[in-house]
Amino acid sequence: MKQFKVLIIDDHPLIANAYQQALEEVFIKSDLELNTIFATTIDEAHEIIEDPNTFDRIDIVFLDIRLPKGKNLKIISGEDLGILMRKKYPKKKLVVATTFNDNYRIHSILKNIDPDGFLVKNDLTPAELVCAIQVLLSEPPFYSKTVLKMLRKQISDEALLDHTDRRLLYEISIGTKMKELPNILPLSKAGIERRKRNLRLVFEVENGSDRDLVFQAKERGFI
């Protein structure tokens, strides 16, 4: 019997078991034999990815974005692992899962990894996880409801904001001070002020405060 091999990278046993149970339900009537391997740390996952004898035979990867840091200082998150997988194995099916639900982080993951599936853990039920796997095997991508909501809210404004605009909005929203921004963004202080003026025009708060700007950006799905 031909095997279908799955790699689950997650440090939470309950989540890993939920994936396993959903996979078993999907494959119970299949003529494929399900073979699942697990990694619970960045170092374990990185070792598997770098071993072509193992990773070449994997059909789909479930990747938690928030993982404990390991010894490899260049790979410090699940997102870094996802970027590495996309670079080395661009055709490998990759599903990311996260507890992050702010739009800036979701957009960053979509842009940097372009996963075949994007699961926000708070959205998931056992039935939806089974549905997600079925879609991923037949007609990916599959995005959970939080991701779809963000995409719908921002689609009409997408051409107006670039990555730097998004990062600026995000930094303002978390309270980063103006004097710190030139060390974070590829802009001078004057350039940052120009960006903020433009963002106030985009979000129709020309005379508003940073709080008003952040509120409108959140309402329209950008942070």
Side-chain angles (χ1 to χ4, degrees), residues 114-133:
D114 187 23
D116 300 281
F118 197 148
L119 311 177
V120 174
K121 293 181 180 180
N122 292 341
D123 293 343
L124 292 179
T125 63
E128 183 163 352
L129 190 50
V130 169
C131 177
I133 293 169

Side-chain angles (χ1 to χ4, degrees), residues 95-108:
V95 184
V96 299
T98 184
T99 54
F100 294 125
N101 59 9
D102 66 89
N103 290 331
Y104 177 82
R105 292 291 288 127
I106 290 173
H107 181 271
S108 175

Side-chain angles (χ1 to χ4, degrees), residues 114-214:
D114 187 23
D116 300 281
F118 197 148
L119 311 177
V120 174
K121 293 181 180 180
N122 292 341
D123 293 343
L124 292 179
T125 63
E128 183 163 352
L129 190 50
V130 169
C131 177
I133 293 169
Q134 291 170 334
V135 171
L136 289 162
L137 295 177
S138 57
E139 294 183 83
F142 179 91
Y143 298 146
S144 61
K145 63 183 181 181
T146 295
V147 181
L148 289 173
K149 182 179 178 181
M150 183 213 74
L151 292 172
R152 283 196 298 267
K153 287 178 76 174
Q154 70 176 17
I155 194 166
S156 63
D157 299 308
E158 186 65 37
L160 298 176
L161 273 69
D162 62 16
H163 175 73
T164 302
D165 290 323
R166 290 175 177 277
R167 183 63 189 270
L168 176 56
L169 285 168
Y170 176 71
E171 294 297 336
I172 294 171
S173 75
I174 63 174
T176 303
K177 297 184 182 302
M178 183 66 181
K179 64 182 180 181
E180 298 170 345
L181 289 173
N183 297 323
I184 298 170
L185 300 169
L187 297 170
S188 64
K189 186 175 180 180
I192 291 168
E193 290 290 359
R194 283 194 296 272
R195 290 269 182 164
K196 285 178 70 174
R197 285 197 297 272
N198 182 63
L199 288 169
R200 286 193 172 97
L201 289 172
V202 169
F203 291 107
E204 300 174 332
V205 288
E206 292 96 321
N207 299 315
S209 64
D210 284 355
R211 180 177 293 182
D212 297 325
L213 177 59
V214 167

Side-chain angles (χ1 to χ4, degrees), residues 5 26 30 60 91 93 112 116 120 130 149 162 170 213 218:
K5 200 160 190 174
V26 170
S30 170
I60 190 168
K91 295 183 180 180
K93 281 190 177 177
N112 291 332
D116 300 281
V120 174
V130 169
K149 182 179 178 181
D162 62 16
Y170 176 71
L213 177 59
K218 285 182 176 179

